[in-house]
mmCIF file with all atom_site columns, all heavy atoms in Angstrom:
data_model
loop_
_atom_site.group_PDB
_atom_site.id
_atom_site.type_symbol
_atom_site.label_atom_id
_atom_site.label_alt_id
_atom_site.label_comp_id
_atom_site.label_asym_id
_atom_site.label_entity_id
_atom_site.label_seq_id
_atom_site.pdbx_PDB_ins_code
_atom_site.Cartn_x
_atom_site.Cartn_y
_atom_site.Cartn_z
_atom_site.occupancy
_atom_site.B_iso_or_equiv
_atom_site.pdbx_formal_charge
_atom_site.auth_seq_id
_atom_site.auth_comp_id
_atom_site.auth_asym_id
_atom_site.auth_atom_id
_atom_site.pdbx_PDB_model_num
ATOM   1  N N   . THR Z 1 82  ? 4.423  66.398 -12.064 1.00 98.00 ? 82  THR Z N   1
ATOM   2  C CA  . THR Z 1 82  ? 3.429  66.972 -12.976 1.00 98.00 ? 82  THR Z CA  1
ATOM   3  C C   . THR Z 1 82  ? 2.034  66.868 -12.357 1.00 98.00 ? 82  THR Z C   1
ATOM   4  O O   . THR Z 1 82  ? 1.238  67.819 -12.429 1.00 98.00 ? 82  THR Z O   1
ATOM   5  C CB  . THR Z 1 82  ? 3.468  66.214 -14.325 1.00 98.00 ? 82  THR Z CB  1
ATOM   6  O OG1 . THR Z 1 82  ? 4.745  66.497 -14.923 1.00 98.00 ? 82  THR Z OG1 1
ATOM   7  C CG2 . THR Z 1 82  ? 2.372  66.657 -15.259 1.00 98.00 ? 82  THR Z CG2 1
ATOM   8  N N   . GLU Z 1 86  ? 0.263  70.389 -11.971 1.00 96.00 ? 86  GLU Z N   1
ATOM   9  C CA  . GLU Z 1 86  ? -0.851 70.603 -12.917 1.00 96.00 ? 86  GLU Z CA  1
ATOM   10 C C   . GLU Z 1 86  ? -2.198 70.198 -12.310 1.00 96.00 ? 86  GLU Z C   1
ATOM   11 O O   . GLU Z 1 86  ? -3.229 70.293 -12.981 1.00 96.00 ? 86  GLU Z O   1
ATOM   12 C CB  . GLU Z 1 86  ? -0.596 69.830 -14.215 1.00 96.00 ? 86  GLU Z CB  1
ATOM   13 C CG  . GLU Z 1 86  ? 0.719  70.175 -14.923 1.00 96.00 ? 86  GLU Z CG  1
ATOM   14 C CD  . GLU Z 1 86  ? 0.632  71.452 -15.776 1.00 96.00 ? 86  GLU Z CD  1
ATOM   15 O OE1 . GLU Z 1 86  ? -0.464 71.982 -15.940 1.00 96.00 ? 86  GLU Z OE1 1
ATOM   16 O OE2 . GLU Z 1 86  ? 1.698  71.911 -16.261 1.00 96.00 ? 86  GLU Z OE2 1
ATOM   17 N N   . THR Z 1 116 ? 5.345  57.661 -8.379  1.00 98.00 ? 116 THR Z N   1
ATOM   18 C CA  . THR Z 1 116 ? 5.890  58.439 -7.271  1.00 98.00 ? 116 THR Z CA  1
ATOM   19 C C   . THR Z 1 116 ? 6.742  57.569 -6.367  1.00 98.00 ? 116 THR Z C   1
ATOM   20 O O   . THR Z 1 116 ? 6.372  56.434 -6.089  1.00 98.00 ? 116 THR Z O   1
ATOM   21 C CB  . THR Z 1 116 ? 4.746  59.065 -6.432  1.00 98.00 ? 116 THR Z CB  1
ATOM   22 O OG1 . THR Z 1 116 ? 5.305  59.675 -5.256  1.00 98.00 ? 116 THR Z OG1 1
ATOM   23 C CG2 . THR Z 1 116 ? 3.700  58.049 -5.994  1.00 98.00 ? 116 THR Z CG2 1
ATOM   24 N N   . THR Z 1 118 ? 7.798  59.125 -3.310  1.00 98.00 ? 118 THR Z N   1
ATOM   25 C CA  . THR Z 1 118 ? 7.482  59.663 -1.975  1.00 98.00 ? 118 THR Z CA  1
ATOM   26 C C   . THR Z 1 118 ? 6.032  59.403 -1.538  1.00 98.00 ? 118 THR Z C   1
ATOM   27 O O   . THR Z 1 118 ? 5.745  59.474 -0.351  1.00 98.00 ? 118 THR Z O   1
ATOM   28 C CB  . THR Z 1 118 ? 7.686  61.190 -1.957  1.00 98.00 ? 118 THR Z CB  1
ATOM   29 O OG1 . THR Z 1 118 ? 6.760  61.775 -2.906  1.00 98.00 ? 118 THR Z OG1 1
ATOM   30 C CG2 . THR Z 1 118 ? 9.107  61.593 -2.297  1.00 98.00 ? 118 THR Z CG2 1
ATOM   31 N N   . ARG Z 1 191 ? 11.115 64.267 -15.833 1.00 98.00 ? 191 ARG Z N   1
ATOM   32 C CA  . ARG Z 1 191 ? 11.909 63.244 -15.113 1.00 98.00 ? 191 ARG Z CA  1
ATOM   33 C C   . ARG Z 1 191 ? 11.395 61.844 -15.407 1.00 98.00 ? 191 ARG Z C   1
ATOM   34 O O   . ARG Z 1 191 ? 12.156 60.909 -15.626 1.00 98.00 ? 191 ARG Z O   1
ATOM   35 C CB  . ARG Z 1 191 ? 11.854 63.498 -13.592 1.00 98.00 ? 191 ARG Z CB  1
ATOM   36 C CG  . ARG Z 1 191 ? 12.663 64.703 -13.188 1.00 98.00 ? 191 ARG Z CG  1
ATOM   37 C CD  . ARG Z 1 191 ? 12.404 65.067 -11.728 1.00 98.00 ? 191 ARG Z CD  1
ATOM   38 N NE  . ARG Z 1 191 ? 12.519 66.490 -11.541 1.00 98.00 ? 191 ARG Z NE  1
ATOM   39 C CZ  . ARG Z 1 191 ? 13.638 67.100 -11.191 1.00 98.00 ? 191 ARG Z CZ  1
ATOM   40 N NH1 . ARG Z 1 191 ? 14.728 66.416 -10.940 1.00 98.00 ? 191 ARG Z NH1 1
ATOM   41 N NH2 . ARG Z 1 191 ? 13.664 68.410 -11.070 1.00 98.00 ? 191 ARG Z NH2 1
HETATM 42 N N1  . NAP M 2 .   ? 5.114  71.096 -21.516 1.00 84.18 ? 301 NAP M N1  1
HETATM 43 C C1  . NAP M 2 .   ? 4.631  69.921 -21.253 1.00 84.18 ? 301 NAP M C1  1
HETATM 44 O O1  . NAP M 2 .   ? 4.097  69.240 -22.129 1.00 84.18 ? 301 NAP M O1  1
HETATM 45 C C2  . NAP M 2 .   ? 4.733  69.376 -19.848 1.00 84.18 ? 301 NAP M C2  1
HETATM 46 C C3  . NAP M 2 .   ? 4.277  68.064 -19.611 1.00 84.18 ? 301 NAP M C3  1
HETATM 47 C C4  . NAP M 2 .   ? 4.372  67.568 -18.317 1.00 84.18 ? 301 NAP M C4  1
HETATM 48 C C5  . NAP M 2 .   ? 4.903  68.346 -17.313 1.00 84.18 ? 301 NAP M C5  1
HETATM 49 N N2  . NAP M 2 .   ? 5.331  69.584 -17.578 1.00 84.18 ? 301 NAP M N2  1
HETATM 50 C C6  . NAP M 2 .   ? 5.890  70.418 -16.498 1.00 84.18 ? 301 NAP M C6  1
HETATM 51 O O2  . NAP M 2 .   ? 6.918  69.698 -15.841 1.00 84.18 ? 301 NAP M O2  1
HETATM 52 C C7  . NAP M 2 .   ? 6.983  70.130 -14.494 1.00 84.18 ? 301 NAP M C7  1
HETATM 53 C C8  . NAP M 2 .   ? 7.066  68.933 -13.548 1.00 84.18 ? 301 NAP M C8  1
HETATM 54 O O3  . NAP M 2 .   ? 8.250  68.260 -13.824 1.00 84.18 ? 301 NAP M O3  1
HETATM 55 P P1  . NAP M 2 .   ? 9.031  67.338 -12.782 1.00 84.18 ? 301 NAP M P1  1
HETATM 56 O O4  . NAP M 2 .   ? 10.457 67.694 -12.847 1.00 84.18 ? 301 NAP M O4  1
HETATM 57 O O5  . NAP M 2 .   ? 8.375  67.360 -11.436 1.00 84.18 ? 301 NAP M O5  1
HETATM 58 O O6  . NAP M 2 .   ? 8.949  65.898 -13.456 1.00 84.18 ? 301 NAP M O6  1
HETATM 59 P P2  . NAP M 2 .   ? 7.863  64.730 -13.396 1.00 84.18 ? 301 NAP M P2  1
HETATM 60 O O7  . NAP M 2 .   ? 8.442  63.641 -14.220 1.00 84.18 ? 301 NAP M O7  1
HETATM 61 O O8  . NAP M 2 .   ? 6.517  65.220 -13.688 1.00 84.18 ? 301 NAP M O8  1
HETATM 62 O O9  . NAP M 2 .   ? 7.823  64.285 -11.865 1.00 84.18 ? 301 NAP M O9  1
HETATM 63 C C9  . NAP M 2 .   ? 8.965  63.833 -11.213 1.00 84.18 ? 301 NAP M C9  1
HETATM 64 C C10 . NAP M 2 .   ? 8.485  63.013 -10.043 1.00 84.18 ? 301 NAP M C10 1
HETATM 65 O O10 . NAP M 2 .   ? 7.813  61.833 -10.531 1.00 84.18 ? 301 NAP M O10 1
HETATM 66 C C11 . NAP M 2 .   ? 8.137  60.739 -9.715  1.00 84.18 ? 301 NAP M C11 1
HETATM 67 N N3  . NAP M 2 .   ? 8.921  59.796 -10.504 1.00 84.18 ? 301 NAP M N3  1
HETATM 68 C C12 . NAP M 2 .   ? 9.311  59.893 -11.813 1.00 84.18 ? 301 NAP M C12 1
HETATM 69 N N4  . NAP M 2 .   ? 9.966  58.778 -12.166 1.00 84.18 ? 301 NAP M N4  1
HETATM 70 C C13 . NAP M 2 .   ? 9.994  57.964 -11.076 1.00 84.18 ? 301 NAP M C13 1
HETATM 71 C C14 . NAP M 2 .   ? 10.501 56.677 -10.818 1.00 84.18 ? 301 NAP M C14 1
HETATM 72 N N5  . NAP M 2 .   ? 11.104 55.924 -11.759 1.00 84.18 ? 301 NAP M N5  1
HETATM 73 N N6  . NAP M 2 .   ? 10.329 56.167 -9.569  1.00 84.18 ? 301 NAP M N6  1
HETATM 74 C C15 . NAP M 2 .   ? 9.705  56.853 -8.607  1.00 84.18 ? 301 NAP M C15 1
HETATM 75 N N7  . NAP M 2 .   ? 9.188  58.086 -8.788  1.00 84.18 ? 301 NAP M N7  1
HETATM 76 C C16 . NAP M 2 .   ? 9.334  58.627 -10.018 1.00 84.18 ? 301 NAP M C16 1
HETATM 77 C C17 . NAP M 2 .   ? 8.892  61.296 -8.535  1.00 84.18 ? 301 NAP M C17 1
HETATM 78 O O11 . NAP M 2 .   ? 7.843  61.676 -7.638  1.00 84.18 ? 301 NAP M O11 1
HETATM 79 P P3  . NAP M 2 .   ? 7.981  61.908 -6.052  1.00 84.18 ? 301 NAP M P3  1
HETATM 80 O O12 . NAP M 2 .   ? 8.699  63.216 -5.936  1.00 84.18 ? 301 NAP M O12 1
HETATM 81 O O13 . NAP M 2 .   ? 6.576  61.979 -5.546  1.00 84.18 ? 301 NAP M O13 1
HETATM 82 O O14 . NAP M 2 .   ? 8.739  60.762 -5.540  1.00 84.18 ? 301 NAP M O14 1
HETATM 83 C C18 . NAP M 2 .   ? 9.587  62.494 -9.151  1.00 84.18 ? 301 NAP M C18 1
HETATM 84 O O15 . NAP M 2 .   ? 9.987  63.467 -8.221  1.00 84.18 ? 301 NAP M O15 1
HETATM 85 C C19 . NAP M 2 .   ? 5.752  70.977 -14.233 1.00 84.18 ? 301 NAP M C19 1
HETATM 86 O O16 . NAP M 2 .   ? 6.140  72.323 -14.213 1.00 84.18 ? 301 NAP M O16 1
HETATM 87 C C20 . NAP M 2 .   ? 4.865  70.706 -15.439 1.00 84.18 ? 301 NAP M C20 1
HETATM 88 O O17 . NAP M 2 .   ? 4.102  71.820 -15.776 1.00 84.18 ? 301 NAP M O17 1
HETATM 89 C C21 . NAP M 2 .   ? 5.255  70.125 -18.831 1.00 84.18 ? 301 NAP M C21 1
#
Side-chain angles (χ1 to χ4, degrees):
T82 294
E86 303 278 352
T116 172
T118 62
R191 288 171 212 268

